[in-house]
């Protein structure tokens, strides 16, 4: 007796698809959706593991109509088509099943249920045990003592199952499995649009079949006046709809006589095509499955599996490997760090050990004196290859050591290959690209990271200093060593993938040089006048308190303005203002709602102003003070190049790029950022860089003409759209044109434009249509870039920065619209980011070449700021303007406005 598994392919794919969705569905590196495939395999592997069957087959539906469609035109007529995100995965799962040598059966004119029914009954006659894997409870009618239906559930990526044998069906429904066909004849099935008897639900249908066994017997009893339990309107409906009941029963009956030529031996479980399956799983980023089934073990030229990682670890000193590193002219390493306290009890990062990988040997070196490494780190002859090297640069710089010749950072390489990932931890990169699980490796070495006790931060630091436990050292040794080995292997594979994607030049010539600049910016920081900042905060608090009293007077009572619930009661119940939105917590009082209500009551404007000042004080005054370095009196913000999908630089701790400038007080906050004595800030800002890039990419004749002739692009747009001479364009008309100019490439809607301009959607729509008619090159660009993105799955900047856009394949209109906006925006915004990065590199190189006393201290969107000595400021201005304007060559000129002042506010 054999065990046979029959799988309902469509049903399981559906279950998996909707079981693993969430806010962001699983995708491969090229944007291909993979959640259904991943979940299907999880369910399949579980049943293979649980049952270890000798035979297996998977049945799929075909698009061709079945006998049921011909019998009843409305059959499944209410079903929406399969989502495109799911349908695109069907060929993938079939390819994988073929590589697993699992037989696929598809029969034109028959559904997968019919195939499963026919095979299960055939094998039952031969005395075999059959398990049907399906998410469709219609298959319960097939259950017998030899046939079991397994229903899977995928929840949060985990697979659970429930088996329905004959006893379980009886217990659940109170009828024999075969009688469920009769139940469906009475109740119908809304999902398949099987009509049933109108008004008869599952409870009634089950009670009738429990008593009368079959529909035929029920009608016989009714005709002979022996159906005493069926009364009133229910009886009337059953009598009137006999044809529907019989039709529904037929439609719901699984056909167990499908002509299937395959014999049981065709379903024999066979060995997988492991090398091909490995490649397929690598394409899909299914590293968990690669690891689980050791698919790498028989394939050469790939990373070894975790159980037998092919490298040695030697604990040594730096002096023993210095000559080897110098000979190789390359240092592949991982530095282990911890928080420590300096003599002034300021928390600093300290390097505790460094692991260096040379081919298949890792040298683990405890740090006794970091100055022993100074020669190696500062050597321009030795390439540095590592992970998160910007942070390491700052740590070393604080100890008087320069990290020179930074060649490769695994985090940045991974970011370019997948710019929409939230982060790039080394353990994830290890699994994704090498199939190595760091945690499993450490478990095999029988080492664990010591859990830190909950204690004061200074006690924790002291505890670390005093720690000498051998387990801790063992963990650090193996952890940093495996990471060094991983970085060594990642360099070749990530470099290859960058080259394949045409991004190696972007990596080598833009991103890696930028890493050093951002590290130097963080180390240099910006001076901030702490006393002036505190004074500014006191001014804000006084204004906040004054506004609070004004609001109380205007509404007639005191309440907690910071409480959305209390504010909602005041605005919508007491003042009876228009309630635009309501959520499960009550009235919405978000910014959009308040802006709409501004004209309805004078208190609303005051509330908006109050909120702005509260945020300004809490986030940018009180939130900034802890970041002022007590030694340097400067803010050392951390600049990031792996956060935004478009390539823009971001900052944190604190975020200097997000200081609000729409309100005057927000702008004034910039006054506390000052150049040191004898120095000035030189501020350079690109003029309309994104519109210039749009003109270059779209080659729109009118936009090119405006920029080449130095015309006001917004006045020109108003003139073209409104059909009036450019000199007659009013300030209001220019503002409207500006909104369209900047909004159009981001896919601004008529609704969005109407909101901005305070006009009707009809007028906004007309404006957009007229604009695109006049600027036909832009319309052409927008259409073509979206179509290209749909075809290729991604868009690129002028410098080959790539962003994948799986949203364009979505069946959801809103998601597709978002994808279209991303497709239009990314080449523009991303190219602007690339140009700024190139400019920063050119500026740094030129400043160093001329030996000018000037440093880049801040980059905000299209703005770059230098801190320059008074003696070098004129030459530095010239360098800044020339480097930014000549960062690249576009069809239209890049223009930069340069200003200077001793504080950021006046410089801008």
């Amino acid at each position: 007796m054999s065990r046979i598994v029959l799988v309902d392919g469509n049903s399981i794919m559906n279950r998996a698809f909707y079981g693993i969705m969430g806010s962001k569905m699983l995708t491969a590196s090229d944007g291909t959706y993979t959640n259904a495939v991943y979940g299907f395999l999880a369910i399949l592997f579980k049943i293979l593991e649980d049952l270890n069957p000798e035979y297996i087959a998977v049945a799929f539906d075909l698009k061709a109509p079945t006998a049921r469609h011909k019998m009843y035109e409305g059959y499944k007529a209410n079903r929406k088509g399969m989502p495109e995100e799911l349908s695109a995965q069907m060929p993938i799962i079939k390819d994988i099943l073929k590589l697993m040598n699992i037989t696929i059966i598809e029969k034109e004119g028959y559904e997968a249920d019919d195939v499963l029914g026919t095979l299960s009954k055939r094998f039952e006659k031969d005395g075999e045990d059959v398990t049907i894997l399906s998410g469709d409870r219609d298959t319960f009618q097939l259950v017998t003592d030899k046939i079991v239906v397994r229903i899977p559930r995928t929840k949060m990526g985990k697979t659970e199952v429930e088996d329905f044998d004959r006893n379980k069906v009886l217990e659940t429904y109170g009828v024999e499995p075969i009688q469920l066909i009769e139940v469906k004849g009475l109740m119908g099935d809304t999902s398949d649009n099987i009509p049933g008897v109108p008004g008869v639900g599952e409870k009634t249908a089950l009670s009738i079949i429990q008593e009368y066994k079959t529909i035929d017997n029920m009608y016989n009893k009714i005709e002979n006046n022996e159906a005493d339990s069926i009364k009133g309107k229910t009886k009337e409906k059953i009598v009137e709809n006999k044809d529907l009941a019989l039709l529904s029963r037929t439609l719901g009956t699984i056909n167990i006589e499908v002509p299937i030529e395959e014999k049981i031996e065709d379903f024999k479980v066979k060995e997988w095509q492991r090398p091909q399956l490995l490649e397929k799983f690598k394409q899909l980023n299914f590293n968990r499955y690669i690891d689980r089934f050791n698919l790498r073990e028989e394939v050469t030229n790939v990373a070894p599996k975790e159980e037998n990682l092919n490298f040695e670890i030697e604990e040594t000193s730096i002096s023993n490997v210095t000559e080897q590193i110098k000979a190789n002219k390359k240092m592949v390493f991982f530095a282990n760090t911890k928080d420590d306290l300096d003599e002034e009890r300021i928390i600093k990062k300290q390097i505790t050990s460094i692991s260096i990988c040379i081919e298949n040997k890792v040298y683990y070196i405890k740090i006794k004196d970091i100055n022993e490494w100074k020669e190696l780190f500062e050597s321009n002859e030795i390439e540095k290859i590592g992970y998160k090297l910007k942070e390491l640069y700052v740590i070393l710089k604080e100890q008087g050591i320069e990290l020179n010749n930074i060649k490769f950072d695994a985090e940045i390489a991974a970011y370019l290959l997948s710019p929409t990932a939230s982060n790039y931890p080394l353990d994830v990169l290890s699994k994704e690209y090498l199939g190595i699980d760091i945690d499993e490796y450490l478990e095999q070495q029988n080492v664990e990271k010591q859990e830190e006790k909950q204690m004061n931060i200074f006690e924790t630091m002291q505890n670390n200093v005093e720690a000498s436990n051998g387990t801790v050292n063992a963990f650090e040794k193996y952890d940093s060593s495996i990471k060094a080995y991983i970085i060594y292997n990642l360099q070749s594979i990530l470099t290859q993938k960058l080259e394949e994607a045409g991004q190696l030049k972007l990596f080598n010539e833009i991103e890696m040089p930028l890493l050093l600049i951002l590290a130097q910016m963080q180390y240099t920081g910006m001076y901030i006048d702490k006393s002036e900042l505190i004074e500014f905060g006191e001014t804000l608090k006084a204004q906040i308190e004054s506004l609070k009293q004004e609001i109380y007077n205007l509404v007639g009572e005191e309440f907690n303005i910071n409480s959305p619930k209390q504010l909602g009661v005041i605005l919508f119940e007491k003042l009876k203002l228009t309630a635009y939105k309501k959520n499960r917590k009550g009235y919405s009082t978000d910014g959009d709602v308040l802006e709409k209500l501004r004209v309805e009551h004078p208190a609303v404007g005051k509330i908006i102003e109050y909120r702005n000042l509260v945020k300004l004080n809490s986030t940018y005054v009180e939130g900034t003070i802890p970041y002022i370095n007590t030694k340097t009196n400067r803010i050392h913000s951390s600049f990031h190049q792996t956060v935004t999908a478009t390539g823009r630089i971001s900052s944190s701790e604190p975020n200097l790029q997000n200081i609000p400038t729409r309100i005057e007080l927000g702008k004034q906050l910039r006054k506390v950022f000052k150049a040191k004595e004898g120095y000035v800030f030189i501020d350079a800002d690109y003029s309309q860089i994104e519109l210039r890039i749009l003109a270059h990419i779209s080659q729109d004749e009118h936009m090119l003409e405006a920029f080449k002739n130095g015309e006001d692009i917004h006045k020109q747009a108003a003139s073209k759209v409104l059909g009036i001479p450019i000199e007659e364009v009013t300030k209001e008309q220019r503002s409207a044109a500006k909104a369209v100019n900047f909004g159009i490439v981001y896919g601004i809607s008529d609704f969005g434009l109407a909101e901005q301009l305070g006009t009707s959607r009809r007028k906004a729509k007309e404006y957009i249509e007229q604009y695109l008619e006049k600027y036909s090159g832009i319309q052409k660009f927008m259409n073509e870039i979206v179509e290209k993105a749909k075809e290729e799955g991604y868009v690129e900047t002028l410098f080959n920065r790539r962003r994948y856009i799986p949203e364009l394949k979505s069946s959801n209109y809103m998601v597709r619209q978002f994808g279209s906006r991303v497709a239009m925006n990314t080449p523009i915004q991303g190219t602007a980011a690339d140009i700024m990065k190139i400019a920063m590199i050119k500026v740094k190189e030129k400043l160093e070449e001329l030996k000018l006393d000037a440093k880049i201290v801040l980059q905000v969107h299209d703005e770059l700021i230098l801190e320059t000595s008074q003696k070098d400021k004129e030459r530095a201005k010239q360098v800044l303007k020339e480097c930014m304007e000549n960062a690249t060559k576009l069809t239209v000129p890049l223009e930069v406005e340069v200003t200077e002042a001793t504080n950021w506010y006046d410089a801008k």
Side-chain angles (χ1 to χ4, degrees), residues 343-554:
E343 63 279 3
E344 295 184 25
R345 293 179 69 76
I346 295 173
I347 298 171
K348 291 281 188 182
K349 288 278 186 187
Q350 293 290 341
I351 302 171
T352 57
S353 65
I354 294 174
S355 290
I356 296 172
C357 184
I358 301 176
E359 294 183 352
N360 289 329
K361 189 159 187 178
V362 176
Y363 297 92
Y364 171 73
I365 305 164
K366 293 179 183 177
I367 301 298
K368 296 178 180 176
D369 181 358
I370 193 63
N371 287 303
E372 292 179 335
W373 294 75
K374 187 176 176 70
E375 181 188 3
L376 290 175
F377 279 133
E378 294 192 341
S379 170
N380 283 306
E381 301 299 316
I382 299 170
E383 294 178 349
K384 313 306 185 305
I385 294 149
Y387 174 76
K388 286 187 178 291
L389 295 179
K390 179 177 74 70
E391 287 84 345
L392 185 64
Y393 176 95
V394 175
I395 294 171
L396 290 169
K397 182 75 172 175
E398 288 173 344
Q399 299 181 65
I401 298 173
E402 292 278 346
L403 182 61
N404 292 325
N405 198 8
I406 299 173
K407 180 72 173 178
F408 182 90
D409 188 303
E411 181 185 39
I412 295 171
Y415 161 69
L416 287 183
L417 293 169
S418 183
T420 53
S422 55
N423 52 32
Y424 307 87
L426 200 52
D427 58 341
V428 172
L429 301 185
S430 175
K431 288 179 186 177
E432 181 174 350
Y433 292 103
L434 304 173
I436 298 174
D437 189 314
I438 293 176
D439 289 338
E440 285 188 16
Y441 169 79
L442 294 173
E443 284 178 16
Q444 289 161 11
Q445 305 309 315
N446 198 28
V447 292
E448 292 182 8
K449 189 173 185 179
Q450 188 182 51
E451 292 295 327
E452 291 182 354
K453 298 176 183 177
Q454 294 296 318
M455 58 181 74
N456 176 282
I457 183 67
F458 297 108
E459 292 175 336
T460 303
M461 298 302 105
Q462 188 62 35
N463 184 61
N464 287 343
V465 170
E466 295 171 355
S468 59
N469 185 292
T471 305
V472 175
N473 291 335
F475 175 87
E476 184 175 302
K477 173 181 176 180
Y478 286 104
D479 179 63
S480 63
S481 296
I482 182 70
K483 287 175 179 174
Y485 176 75
I486 284 162
I487 292 166
Y488 180 88
N489 285 280
L490 280 175
Q491 185 192 11
S492 58
I493 192 167
L494 294 181
T495 300
Q496 179 185 341
K497 287 185 176 296
L498 287 169
E499 190 167 16
E500 290 169 356
Q503 294 182 299
L504 196 54
K505 186 176 181 181
L506 172 67
F507 176 77
N508 287 329
E509 297 183 13
I510 297 180
E511 293 297 342
M512 289 310 300
L514 180 74
L515 179 150
L516 182 60
I517 295 172
L518 298 183
Q520 290 172 341
M521 286 167 61
Q522 179 176 334
Y523 177 78
T524 303
M526 286 182 81
Y527 174 78
I528 193 166
D529 190 322
K530 185 176 180 180
S531 61
E532 199 170 305
L533 179 64
I534 293 171
E535 185 180 331
F536 181 74
E538 293 302 320
T539 301
L540 286 179
K541 288 175 186 175
Q543 291 191 36
I544 289 168
E545 189 58 37
S546 176
L547 277 170
K548 188 188 293 185
Q549 297 305 318
E550 285 186 63
I551 293 165
Y552 293 161
N553 291 335
L554 286 168

Side-chain angles (χ1 to χ4, degrees), residues 733-746:
Q733 289 167 336
R734 183 186 182 276
S735 294
K738 182 178 180 180
V740 179
N741 262 332
F742 282 115
I744 200 75
V745 75
Y746 300 100

Side-chain angles (χ1 to χ4, degrees), residues 412 415-416 506 509-515 517-518 640-650 686 689 799 801 829-845 856 859 861-862 864 883-884 887:
I412 295 171
Y415 161 69
L416 287 183
L506 172 67
E509 297 183 13
I510 297 180
E511 293 297 342
M512 289 310 300
L514 180 74
L515 179 150
I517 295 172
L518 298 183
H640 309 288
Q641 63 191 114
T642 63
V643 172
T644 68
T646 57
R648 278 191 178 274
I649 297 166
S650 64
Y686 276 117
I689 186 171
F799 300 90
R801 184 180 303 279
Q829 196 177 84
T831 296
D834 290 339
I835 290 173
M836 175 56 83
K837 290 177 177 180
I838 293 168
M840 293 171 73
I841 294 165
K842 286 179 178 289
V843 167
K844 174 185 178 290
E845 290 174 349
I856 300 172
Q859 189 277 321
H861 307 311
D862 304 328
L864 195 58
C883 288
M884 288 179 70

Side-chain angles (χ1 to χ4, degrees), residues 879-891:
V879 167
L880 188 56
K881 185 175 175 66
E882 288 178 358
C883 288
M884 288 179 70
E885 290 185 340
N886 294 290
T888 193
K889 187 74 174 172
L890 299 180
T891 315

